[in-house]
Amino acid sequence: MKILATIRKELLLLLRDMGGLAMIFLMPLILVTVMALVQDAPFRDYQDLKFQVLYVNNDKDSLGEVFEHSLREAKNLELVTNVNGLSITKEQASELVHSGKYKAAIILPQNASKTLNKKVKHSVAQLMANFGFGDEVKDTVDNREIAIELVFDPVTKVNFKLAISNAIEKIAANAQSKLIIENLKTQMAALGSEQKKQVIDFSNSLVVKETEQPSTAIATTNSVQHNVPAWTMFAMFLILFPLAGNFIKEREEGSMLRLRLISGSSFPVIAGKYLFYFMICLLQFALMMAIGIYLLPKLGLARLSLGTNYEGVVLTAMAVGIAATAYGLLVAVFFKTHHQALAFGSVSVVLLAALGGVWVPTYVMPPTLQAISHFSPMSWGLEACNDLFLRNANTAAILPNILRLVCFGGVLLILSFVIYKSRETKG
Amino acid sequence: MSIAIALNKVVKTYTGAKQPAVQGLSLQVNEGEIYGLLGPNGAGKSTSVMMICGLTPYSSGEINVLGFDAKNKSATIRSLIGVAPQEIALFPTLTAAENLTYFGNMYGLRGKKLRETIAHYVEAFGLTSKLNEQVASFSGGMKRRLNLIAALLHEPKLLIIDEPTAGVDIHSRNLIIDILKGLNHKGMTILYSSHLMEEAEKLCTRFGIIDEGKLIAEGTREELLQQNTNCKDIEELFLHLTGKSMRD
C-alpha cells in the first residue's frame, strides 16, 4: 500500500511538472523525429536518392546511345543532357559541376564509337588469324585510350563517386563485350562459318545476386530503424533528470526527512519511486515506437518495423527500463546537490549514447571504440532492438543483452540502496 | 510519573569532527509534559532530536523513548512519535489533502479513518477551505500549520516539534500554541525545540537548556528562576547561562 501511495504521489507530482513532462515525453518525441529526418539521406546512402548528373555525348553514335540508355535506367541517377534547352559542352559541364549545381558530369569523347569499333574489329581479326581463320592482319590500329571523363563536385562523398565510377565501368565493359561478340559473329559469317547461325550470348552467364537478408529478416536498416530504437534508449536514460531532480529536491526541501521519520519508510519510498519511473520508461518506449510506426511514415520516412517477436520487444523495453531507472536512482542517491547530479547525469548519458551507437551506428566506429561500445547499456538495448526489428530474432538470441541490462540495473539498484542506507545511518 | 524520553550520558561525535556535537547529555522528559529544549545555534539541539528519533546514531550512552531503546527499536519509536521538523516538509505542488493523504498512507492509515482524521485536524487548524489547494500557494503560517498536521495524523504519543512557529504571524502562532496545549491536555507529551523564549515560556511546563552539547540547566520555570534570582524570565536566564556572544 505504501508503494502504491508513493507511485500515486509521484504521478501527481509529474502531472503538475510541465518541465518534467516535456523532458520525458516531448523532447524525445521531437528528438527522434528530427534525427530520423536529418539522418534519412545519409542512411539511404545514395541508394534511394536521385542525383542529377550531366551527360555530354560528344560521340553522337552507338556507344553514346548505349551509355545514355544504360544511365537512364540507373534508378538513382537523373540524366541531364541539356540545360535551358541547349546541349552542354564539356567546359560548361565542368563549370556547372564545380559550382555545385550538379553532383557529377559524364563526358564521352568524340568518335568514341568509331575508335572502339576499329580497335575491336582489329583485335577480333587478329584473334581469328591466330586460330587459322582468315588472313594475317598487317595494318596497325591507334592504341590510344578512349577516355570517358568523370567530373565530380569536390564535396561529393567517396561512396557516391565510387558508385558512379563502377556504373560507368560496368556499362563500358558490357558495351565492349557486346561489340566483340558482334564483330566475331560478323567476321565468322564472312568466312562462311556455321557458327554464324548460333546465338552467342554471355549476358546471363555470370550475374551478381544480392542475398544480404536471411529469410527471417523483415526490414533493412534505414534512418527510422536506426534512430527510433537508438533515441528511445537515450530518452529512457534521460529519466535520471526528473528522478534525480525530484529526489534531491525532496531531500533539500525536507519531505524526504519526514518520510525517513515515518517507521520503515525507506524501502516503500525508494521502491515506489523506482517502480513509477520504470513504468514511465515503458511508456516512453511505447510512445517512441508509436512515433516510428504512425508519425514518421506521414513525414515521408519509412515505417518502423518491430519484427514479429513482440514478447522480445516487451522484454527489451523492460530490461532497458530496469537499467535506466537504476542508473537514475544511483545518480539521485549519490550526488548531494542538483547541480552535481544534473551535470554528471547529462555528460554521462551523452557519453553512454555516443559509445552505445545512438549517434552513429557502432559498425562505423573505429575498432577501439567498437570494443568500448560493448560496455554501454544503451548498446545492449540497441543491439537487442536491432536483433528483433531487423533480424527477427527469437527471445533466446536477445537473452544475453537482456541479462546484461538486468544485471546492470540490479547492481546499480543494490549500490543505490547501500549508499542510501549508509547515508541514512550516518545521519 | 512515567518517563517519555530519557537520555543518559549521550555522546555524539560526527566523523571528521574535532569536538563532539553532544557531550555526555543526560535529560528526562516525563509523560504528559511539554518540555522545552532550548539552546543557542550549534548547541546540539537538532542532533539530540535526531538521535531521539533514531535518525542519527549516537556514539555512546543510552537513549530510551517511550520505553524502547533508540538504538535497537528505532522503527518502533518512529511509529509512536510525531515529528514536525523546522523545514516545511511537504510537497509544494500537491494539495493539502494530497499531502496529508500521502503521509497518512505512509503511516499505514487509509480509508474513512484517514479522511476523518484529516478533516478533524484541518478543521482545528483552520485549513478546511484550503484543503484542495496546492501547498505552494499557501502563506507561511498555513504551511506551518499543515506541517504540524502531517506529524499528528497517526495520533502519536509523543510529539517532537522544532521551531513550529518560525516565520508565522501572531494569529497563526496563537492558534498553534492553543492547539498544542489542547493536545497536551489530552495526554500527548511534547518535546518543543525553539529559539523563541517568550513562546517557550508560554507553552512549556519544564525546560532543558543545552549549550556546547551539555545540559546546563533543567527544571520548571519557577525552579530555574529560583536558582538564578537575578533573572526575571527564561530569556534572561538563557542569556545569563549561554552568554551574550554571537553563535554561528
Side-chain angles (χ1 to χ4, degrees), chain A residues 170-284:
Chain A
K170 190 181 165 190
I171 297 167
N174 275 346
Q176 215 162 274
S177 308
K178 268 187 186 167
L179 209 59
I180 291 168
I181 301 290
E182 286 305 315
N183 261 281
L184 203 57
K185 281 161 77 178
T186 312
Q187 289 191 36
M188 285 179 87
L191 290 169
S193 166
E194 284 300 308
Q195 296 291 328
K196 69 177 179 182
K197 290 167 189 171
Q198 289 175 18
V199 177
I200 305 168
D201 185 10
F202 294 119
S203 61
N204 293 323
S205 305
L206 194 61
V207 291
V208 178
K209 209 171 175 182
E210 195 175 301
T211 55
E212 69 176 53
Q213 296 182 27
S215 57
T216 51
I218 28 139
T220 50
T221 192
N222 57 41
S223 177
V224 172
Q225 288 298 141
H226 170 74
N227 280 299
V228 174
W231 292 103
T232 301
M233 300 299 118
F234 184 71
M236 287 168 89
F237 272 81
L238 285 184
I239 204 78
L240 87 82
F241 290 101
L243 201 167
N246 275 351
F247 197 95
I248 293 168
K249 198 171 148 194
E250 285 175 15
R251 202 163 54 201
E252 286 172 348
E253 284 176 352
S255 43
M256 193 64 86
L257 173 68
R258 187 188 291 286
L259 292 169
R260 282 178 62 202
L261 287 165
I262 299 172
S263 170
S265 62
S266 295
F267 178 75
V269 170
I270 303 274
K273 272 186 188 294
Y274 182 83
L275 285 173
F276 173 74
Y277 283 102
F278 168 70
M279 286 187 279
I280 292 292
C281 274
L282 295 186
L283 207 59
Q284 279 183 311

Side-chain angles (χ1 to χ4, degrees), chain A residues 1-2 5-6 9 12-13 16 250 253-255 257-263 265 268-269 424-427, chain B residues 53 55 57 75 78-79 83 85 87-89 91-94 98 102-103 105-107 109-110 134 147 150-151:
Chain A
M1 192 192 111
K2 289 179 183 177
T6 305
K9 182 263 292 180
L12 289 171
L13 288 175
R16 285 166 202 170
E250 285 175 15
E253 284 176 352
S255 43
L257 173 68
R258 187 188 291 286
L259 292 169
R260 282 178 62 202
L261 287 165
I262 299 172
S263 170
S265 62
V269 170
E424 201 177 49
T425 319
K426 275 182 190 168
Chain B
C53 300
L55 290 185
R78 274 183 270 171
S79 68
V83 185
E87 299 91 352
I88 303 292
F91 300 100
T93 54
L94 297 191
E98 287 162 352
Y102 176 58
F103 289 121
N105 288 159
M106 298 312 281
Y107 277 119
L109 306 170
R110 57 176 158 170
Q134 286 188 21
N147 203 33

Side-chain angles (χ1 to χ4, degrees), chain B residues 150-172:
Chain B
L152 294 168
L153 289 171
H154 61 306
E155 290 167 354
K157 285 185 175 178
L158 168 67
L159 178 66
I160 298 173
I161 42 178
D162 193 4
E163 302 284 1
T165 59
V168 304
D169 61 22
I170 188 74
H171 301 98
S172 280

Side-chain angles (χ1 to χ4, degrees), chain A residues 20-34:
Chain A
L21 280 173
M23 169 72 91
I24 292 173
F25 297 113
L26 190 64
M27 212 180 84
L29 188 148
I30 295 169
L31 199 62
V32 76
T33 308
V34 170

Side-chain angles (χ1 to χ4, degrees), chain B residues 2 5 45 49 64-66 79 82-83 88 96 98 115 126 132 137 140 172 181 183 201 213 240-241:
Chain B
S2 306
I5 304 170
K45 290 194 307 290
V49 167
N64 195 287
V65 181
L66 300 168
S79 68
V83 185
I88 303 292
E98 287 162 352
R115 283 196 298 276
N132 294 314
S137 68
S172 280
K181 278 183 176 172
L183 290 168
E201 206 165 345
H240 172 69
L241 294 173

Side-chain angles (χ1 to χ4, degrees), chain B residues 14-222:
Chain B
Y14 285 106
T15 316
K18 288 176 187 167
Q19 291 280 320
V22 173
Q23 306 183 49
L25 182 66
S26 297
L27 60 82
Q28 202 170 292
V29 178
N30 299 314
E31 269 189 18
E33 69 180 5
I34 303 179
Y35 188 95
L37 185 64
L38 311 176
N41 286 339
K45 290 194 307 290
S46 296
T47 302
S48 301
V49 167
M50 286 296 155
M51 289 190 297
I52 291 166
C53 300
L55 290 185
T56 300
Y58 41 96
S59 312
S60 64
E62 286 171 20
I63 296 179
N64 195 287
V65 181
L66 300 168
F68 296 98
D69 178 39
K71 206 159 239 171
N72 307 316
K73 295 282 180 188
S74 63
T76 312
I77 291 170
R78 274 183 270 171
S79 68
L80 297 171
I81 65 171
V83 185
Q86 190 180 350
E87 299 91 352
I88 303 292
L90 301 164
F91 300 100
T93 54
L94 297 191
T95 65
E98 287 162 352
N99 266 288
L100 295 176
T101 305
Y102 176 58
F103 289 121
N105 288 159
M106 298 312 281
Y107 277 119
L109 306 170
R110 57 176 158 170
K112 198 181 165 197
K113 165 90 175 121
L114 178 61
R115 283 196 298 276
E116 282 174 359
T117 311
I118 291 172
H120 166 72
Y121 281 113
V122 291
E123 173 73 31
F125 280 89
L127 289 173
T128 308
S129 62
K130 302 286 178 186
L131 200 57
N132 294 314
E133 287 183 21
Q134 286 188 21
V135 173
S137 68
F138 281 22
S139 68
M142 284 153 66
K143 284 178 187 168
R144 283 270 161 223
R145 282 181 269 159
L146 194 65
N147 203 33
L148 201 50
I149 298 174
L152 294 168
L153 289 171
H154 61 306
E155 290 167 354
K157 285 185 175 178
L158 168 67
L159 178 66
I160 298 173
I161 42 178
D162 193 4
E163 302 284 1
T165 59
V168 304
D169 61 22
I170 188 74
H171 301 98
S172 280
R173 181 177 296 178
N174 286 339
L175 180 71
I176 290 169
I177 288 172
D178 287 347
I179 290 171
L180 290 174
K181 278 183 176 172
L183 290 168
N184 179 247
H185 279 305
K186 286 179 188 167
M188 189 182 284
T189 308
I190 298 172
L191 175 66
Y192 168 91
S193 168
S194 179
H195 292 98
L196 301 169
M197 299 300 148
E198 197 188 324
E199 185 180 291
E201 206 165 345
K202 257 194 218 173
L203 184 67
C204 301
T205 49
R206 222 153 60 85
F207 302 88
I209 300 173
I210 61 169
D211 196 14
E212 293 178 345
K214 293 175 203 156
L215 186 74
I216 52 172
E218 191 180 38
T220 61
R221 180 183 185 276
E222 290 70 30

Side-chain angles (χ1 to χ4, degrees), chain A residues 50-58 64 67-69 71-74 76-90 92-94 96-97 101-108 164:
Chain A
K50 262 197 180 285
F51 290 98
Q52 284 193 319
V53 171
L54 295 171
Y55 178 59
V56 183
N57 182 7
N58 288 330
F67 263 89
E68 190 168 337
H69 176 73
L71 287 168
R72 282 199 194 282
E73 280 189 345
N76 53 347
L77 297 181
E78 188 186 328
L79 223 54
V80 177
T81 50
N82 54 57
V83 176
N84 300 329
L86 298 167
S87 53
I88 328 148
T89 63
K90 179 183 167 179
Q92 283 170 333
S94 298
L96 285 166
V97 169
K101 285 181 183 157
Y102 294 90
K103 290 285 166 206
I106 301 160
I107 301 155
L108 218 62
I164 296 282

Side-chain angles (χ1 to χ4, degrees), chain B residues 219-234:
Chain B
T220 61
R221 180 183 185 276
E222 290 70 30
E223 284 167 355
L224 290 171
L225 293 178
Q226 264 174 21
Q227 287 160 20
N228 300 274
T229 48
N230 54 335
C231 302
K232 65 174 191 301
D233 56 26
I234 294 294

